[in-house]
Amino acid sequence: MSSLARLRTRTGCLQCRRRRKKCDEARPRCTACNRNALDCEWPSGDNQLPHGRSQRRTGTQATTRTGAPLGLSLIQLASPIIMPAPFQSPEYAYLYQYFASTILPRLVRQSLLDQTHMLRLGPKFSPLFGAMVSVAGMQLPSTERWSTYFTLQGYLHAIQALQTSLTDITKAGCDDRILATVVLLSVFESCRSDAAPTVAPHVTAAGLLLTQRRPCQFRTKAAATFDRICVESFLYHASLMMIFDPSLDALTENRNELGLPLYFDQLTNPTASQGETVLQASYKFFLLIADVTKLARLSRPLDSTEIMKWRSLDCEVSRWTHLTRSADISLLLYYLAIQILLQKMNPNITSTERLQRALSCLEEGLQRVPLLKIDSYPPGYLLWPIAILGAIAVSLKARRIVRDSITSVSARKLDGQGAWVQKRLERIWRTASSESGFLDPNLVGLQLLLDHGGF
């Protein structure tokens, strides 16, 4: 029987049974649903999932032409939907349900807020539906080979159908369906493992759309949550993906036009919950990451204007030293990674001193990486600081720690980003050792990461 029809638990909650996870059956919310911010539903007479054996047919189980089991059609969605053309097969229904139950609740960060607004838009707009199923297909466990065809078909349809909706950027910016589609295309590119991601066009487009919008006090709470998801996803990709895509620079020209304080300032946005942040830090922290990354890309000495910029950024980074005392290890790793990028361009010290400071950050970071609780973070969040630490790692021991941490992220998170980050680092390690010449391979590796994303 196909793994899609197999259930690990027959008495657990519906979410664990749909996701084929073992349920501890704690009520009213099991541990897995609580950890993943999912609605914990329990079987009743009208929502009972069919037993795996009921999906058998006479003889061998029938399959579609792509090898996906027809039993997929028996998986019940949270509510009946009419799927848009050309997504009317049971495989697409499964991918949509997987997106709704597993992907969306932890998109960017885990949240207990109402995230149904995007789900209501999908069936009414085929490009968005295509983006949803493509993201779901890309993040299915690697054992589910049947999804490749449907993943690529969804992605291609989203790209082609979206082009006709972007003729007027002013009107498009006010259309939630278009913004959601572009945001999910960014997610798709950042998590794909089948090819080199090209996230820059989608992230740039999301930024342009957001410049045409502002939070509206008359929107429902679900719609306001949708706005925050889109803004946070944009900031996440626009800042962290810069080290993996050297062409990405979406936060330079449009920053003031984005109206970011309107989304995060409690006084002007009453729908925001107290203490909400982008991931584990303020949105200003991610703006700082983008600025430091852009300056660190330079491989030549700084000119006078750039030196002034460096000093300004160094002063700004010093305001975040409290992160080194945080109980959240990821924040310390982010701080150390920013320091590595900043010290690479330090105009006040010698190259030897730059290297010493970078290696000091590397040593401290490698001591903390094994202590990370991987399941506490959204997909891909930890890969940014780990990639920077890995780029300057030279010793076999240091590289083994980096490699093991990426393997842990890849094994526990349903995304392909870990795979291509590891490929980049392996290439950087080979190239830095062979081409460093009289330069130190540590900083050579970091420059390779910033120049080419490892490719």
Side-chain angles (χ1 to χ4, degrees), residues 373-392:
K373 297 180 179 180
I374 304 296
D375 282 336
S376 301
Y377 305 97
Y381 171 68
L382 298 175
L383 293 175
W384 187 83
I386 290 175
I388 293 176
L389 293 175
I392 66 171

Side-chain angles (χ1 to χ4, degrees), residues 77-254:
L77 299 175
S79 59
I81 64 167
I82 300 176
M83 298 187 298
F87 304 109
Q88 295 165 334
S89 70
E91 291 86 357
Y92 288 122
Y94 179 84
L95 291 175
Y96 176 81
Q97 192 276 338
Y98 187 76
F99 176 85
S101 64
T102 303
I103 306 301
L104 184 59
R106 63 181 195 179
L107 187 65
V108 182
R109 61 183 174 87
Q110 295 182 4
S111 174
L112 297 176
L113 298 176
D114 184 356
Q115 300 185 23
T116 58
H117 184 71
M118 186 184 294
L119 293 178
R120 286 194 288 267
L121 298 174
K124 303 175 183 178
F125 190 60
S126 67
L128 175 55
F129 198 94
M132 287 177 172
V133 299
S134 66
V135 169
M138 187 56 67
Q139 298 192 50
L140 275 177
S142 58
T143 55
E144 308 294 359
R145 302 295 184 187
W146 64 268
S147 66
T148 301
Y149 170 84
F150 300 95
T151 297
L152 295 179
Q153 288 297 109
Y155 177 74
L156 292 174
H157 175 85
I159 292 291
Q160 294 169 358
L162 188 62
Q163 292 177 348
T164 60
S165 303
L166 289 174
T167 55
D168 188 335
I169 192 67
T170 303
K171 294 180 180 179
C174 300
D175 192 326
D176 290 356
R177 303 171 305 169
I178 294 177
L179 176 61
T181 304
V182 174
V183 165
L184 290 182
L185 289 175
S186 301
V187 175
F188 174 87
E189 286 291 346
S190 68
C191 70
R192 70 185 305 175
S193 57
D194 62 324
T198 54
V199 70
H202 303 312
V203 175
T204 302
L208 291 174
L209 291 173
L210 287 170
T211 61
Q212 307 300 317
R213 302 168 63 95
R214 287 295 183 272
C216 178
Q217 59 180 336
F218 301 108
R219 283 166 71 81
T220 64
K221 288 186 177 180
T225 301
F226 166 81
D227 288 342
R228 281 291 300 269
I229 290 174
C230 292
V231 172
E232 291 184 11
S233 180
F234 168 72
L235 285 173
Y236 174 86
H237 289 98
S239 56
L240 302 189
M241 292 299 293
M242 287 179 69
I243 65 167
F244 304 121
D245 190 340
S247 66
L248 180 57
D249 185 16
L251 283 167
T252 298
E253 300 296 333
N254 299 324

Side-chain angles (χ1 to χ4, degrees), residues 258-283:
L258 289 169
L260 295 177
L262 299 177
Y263 293 96
F264 297 96
D265 189 332
Q266 297 291 325
L267 297 178
T268 58
N269 185 10
T271 62
S273 300
Q274 186 68 29
E276 274 193 309
T277 60
V278 181
L279 299 177
Q280 274 67 33
S282 162
Y283 76 97

Side-chain angles (χ1 to χ4, degrees), residues 26-94:
R27 300 202 183 211
R29 289 175 58 81
C30 73
T31 301
C33 288
N34 191 55
R35 181 176 64 247
N36 294 298
L38 301 175
D39 292 332
C40 195
E41 305 174 77
W42 293 90
S44 62
D46 57 354
N47 69 354
Q48 179 74 43
L49 283 174
H51 191 284
R53 285 177 294 184
S54 68
Q55 299 179 31
R56 291 182 182 271
R57 299 193 174 196
T58 303
T60 59
Q61 184 181 25
T63 59
T64 65
R65 61 185 176 83
T66 55
L70 289 177
L72 285 175
S73 60
L74 298 177
I75 296 177
Q76 297 180 358
L77 299 175
S79 59
I81 64 167
I82 300 176
M83 298 187 298
F87 304 109
Q88 295 165 334
S89 70
E91 291 86 357
Y92 288 122
Y94 179 84

